[in-house]
Structure formats: C-alpha cells, structure tokens
Amino acid sequence: PSRTALRVSDSGVGTGVTDHRLVGRADRFAEGTQVAFWTLVTGGGRGDVLRHVWFHQGQAVMRADLEIGGAQWRTYSRRLLPKGATGEWMVEARGPDGGLLARQAFLCVSDEP
C-alpha cells in the first residue's frame, strides 16, 4: 500500500494526449479509433502505481500499471477500439490499494455509415 494519499483530480477520455493534455475529449468514439484515458494525479510520490482498468460491456479487457513520478503527475493509457468493439466502455483509475479514484464511461459506435 501507498504511504501517500494518491488522488485523481481530473480525468477524461479522448483521441490522444498532446503536451501532457487530453485532446479530442468525447463520450463516443467509432470502431478503429485509438482512445486515451488521461489522469491528473495528486498526492502521490515517486514509485507509487496508478492502475488503469479498461472494461467492455462490464468485462475487464486491459490493465495498465502506470508509475507515478511525483506529487502532481499526468499519465495516460491507450486502447485501440477494434472492429466489433461497439457498446459500452468504462475505464477506471485505481490506487495502490485497489480503491477507485476515477471512472470515465464512453460508447463505441460502428464505423459503418
């Protein structure tokens, strides 16, 4: 467990990260889009780990353990939404103890016209 009070003070999903900031923030994305889950972490210390867990239709499909480098740290994970990935998605940020720190939901829609 962390010795610090890790918190997520801002988060979101978008199409990427530029200059440490989320771009293309939205709540729906087409199949074939790469989606980034961006988090602004405060209260952490070097070596703490923030876990991003990606869910599709309620099933965990990806986990990314992201090392924190300081008391205020921006980090993100990415996932390509493949063909057939339509439906409800959710990404959670969890602290070292597994506690929920942030959650973002979005919809993946068909890329067919």
Side-chain angles (χ1 to χ4, degrees):
S2 171
R3 303 166 312 287
T4 59
L6 199 67
R7 293 179 307 284
V8 172
S9 60
D10 192 11
S11 67
V13 288
T15 54
V17 175
T18 301
D19 294 327
H20 306 288
R21 301 209 182 276
L22 183 67
V23 295
R25 188 182 291 251
D27 63 0
R28 67 178 42 221
F29 303 93
E31 294 170 307
T33 302
Q34 181 150 296
V35 176
F37 177 48
W38 174 90
T39 47
L40 174 58
V41 181
T42 59
R46 185 173 299 279
D48 282 341
V49 174
L50 179 73
R51 175 172 287 165
H52 286 180
V53 184
W54 293 71
F55 296 88
H56 178 231
Q57 302 289 93
Q59 290 285 106
V61 295
M62 187 179 115
R63 181 180 87 189
D65 289 341
L66 307 165
E67 191 168 321
I68 303 304
Q72 183 167 326
W73 198 257
R74 296 178 204 139
T75 191
Y76 66 97
S77 61
R78 296 182 298 211
R79 174 138 182 119
L80 179 66
L81 301 177
K83 197 85 163 150
T86 58
E88 296 177 1
W89 283 79
M90 184 170 23
V91 194
E92 295 179 346
R94 297 188 167 270
D97 62 355
L100 181 65
L101 300 176
R103 176 183 285 148
Q104 295 289 321
F106 66 92
L107 193 61
C108 177
V109 296
S110 174
D111 66 350
E112 304 291 323

